């Protein structure tokens, strides 16, 4: 796939490229066509391929934008049906890690919660029960991140190997799945020695 993309994105004099697959030639006329790639892992893209692209970095979603995604998910047939108070909604989306997919999932959970209460508006007095039922932690940390924080609290400064041994989670999984979020939230610091 990478080699095919390299061939397709190679500059030509007339802005036309072709790709042959199983004897069939597919023409790519870049005067009429643009390719757009999106990733959150740009470092994994083959460097020569990146060199042929123009990089556009997008700003993270604001909490207001995430709340708008929630509100769009609360519509029925394109019409606003359910609603959430602004300040309560902002508190909820602050636990979503800036993720619009999580905002859509939150909208589904809010609809189910409101339907179970025979209500259409989510207010401050609904918040505690909703958070409790769904197990939403402050800052949106998940149970494993909470476990890692507890280990660090109990043991003080610890090596990644120590946290891994106590938690039963591999070093690689801690680094890949949990460490960056806890650092982003300012809850841990990682020493150069690990």
């Amino acid at each position: 796939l990478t080699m095919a993309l390299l061939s397709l994105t190679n500059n030509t004099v007339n802005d036309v490229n072709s790709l042959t697959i199983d004897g069939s030639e597919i023409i790519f006329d870049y005067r009429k066509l643009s390719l757009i790639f999106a990733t959150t892992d740009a470092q994994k893209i083959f460097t020569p391929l990146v060199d042929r692209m123009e990089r556009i970095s997008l700003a993270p979603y604001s909490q207001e934008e995430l709340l708008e995604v929630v509100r769009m998910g609360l519509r029925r047939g394109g019409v606003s049906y359910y609603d959430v108070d602004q300040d309560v909604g902002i508190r909820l989306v602050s636990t979503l890690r800036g993720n619009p997919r999580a905002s859509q999932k939150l909208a589904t959970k809010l609809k189910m919660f409101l339907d179970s209460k025979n209500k259409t508006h989510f207010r401050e007095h609904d918040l505690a029960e909703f958070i409790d039922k769904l197990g939403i932690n402050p800052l949106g940390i998940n149970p494993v991140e909470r476990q890692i924080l507890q280990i660090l609290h109990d043991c003080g400064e610890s090596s990644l190997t120590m946290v891994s041994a106590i938690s039963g989670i591999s070093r690689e999984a801690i680094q890949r799945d949990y460490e960056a979020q806890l650092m982003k939230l300012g809850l841990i610091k990682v020493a150069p020695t690990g």
Side-chain angles (χ1 to χ4, degrees):
L1 180 62
T2 299
M3 296 313 289
L5 288 172
L6 280 172
S7 294
L8 285 176
T9 56
N10 194 27
N11 287 336
T12 62
V13 174
N14 61 357
D15 291 327
V16 176
N17 254 327
S18 65
L19 179 66
T20 304
I21 301 175
D22 295 331
S24 297
E25 184 179 43
I26 303 168
I27 304 294
F28 291 83
D29 184 346
Y30 291 108
R31 295 169 297 183
K32 302 175 185 176
L33 169 74
S34 293
L35 298 178
I36 298 174
F37 301 90
T39 184
T40 55
D41 292 319
Q43 75 282 358
K44 293 182 181 178
I45 299 175
F46 190 50
T47 303
L49 187 56
V50 172
D51 290 342
R52 295 171 187 206
M53 300 178 184
E54 181 176 338
R55 186 175 189 151
I56 301 171
S57 297
L58 303 175
Y61 283 83
S62 69
Q63 291 185 343
E64 290 77 15
E65 290 168 327
L66 292 173
L67 182 54
E68 183 55 32
V69 172
V70 170
R71 286 193 165 125
M72 288 186 327
L74 292 176
R75 294 183 178 138
R76 274 192 181 167
V79 177
S80 292
Y81 182 77
Y82 302 95
D83 199 14
V84 58
D85 285 346
Q86 179 75 16
D87 57 329
V88 174
I90 292 293
R91 286 170 54 199
L92 281 173
V93 298
S94 71
T95 67
L96 299 180
R97 303 175 184 223
N99 185 326
R101 282 182 295 265
S103 296
Q104 185 61 45
K105 290 179 190 177
L106 177 62
T108 300
K109 293 171 185 174
L110 282 168
K111 284 192 283 192
M112 291 186 334
F113 178 84
L114 289 168
D115 285 344
S116 75
K117 302 288 183 186
N118 210 18
K119 298 166 76 173
T120 59
H121 199 100
F122 190 85
R123 300 181 190 279
E124 177 71 33
H125 62 268
D126 299 311
L127 187 59
E129 181 183 357
F130 184 75
I131 285 173
D132 182 57
K133 285 190 184 288
L134 288 165
I136 297 173
N137 290 307
L139 304 174
I141 61 173
N142 66 39
V144 175
E145 291 163 341
R146 192 175 193 152
Q147 176 190 14
I148 291 168
L149 289 172
Q150 188 64 53
I151 291 167
L152 293 171
H153 177 266
D154 294 346
C155 299
E157 190 172 309
S158 301
S159 69
L160 181 56
T161 302
M162 177 66 79
V163 174
S164 175
I166 294 170
S167 67
I169 303 166
S170 74
R171 290 172 42 97
E172 294 79 17
I174 291 171
Q175 286 181 306
R176 182 186 66 237
D177 300 330
Y178 308 111
E179 185 178 82
Q181 181 64 20
L182 294 173
M183 287 173 59
K184 180 180 173 184
L185 292 170
L187 299 173
I188 66 169
K189 290 181 181 175
V190 177
T193 58

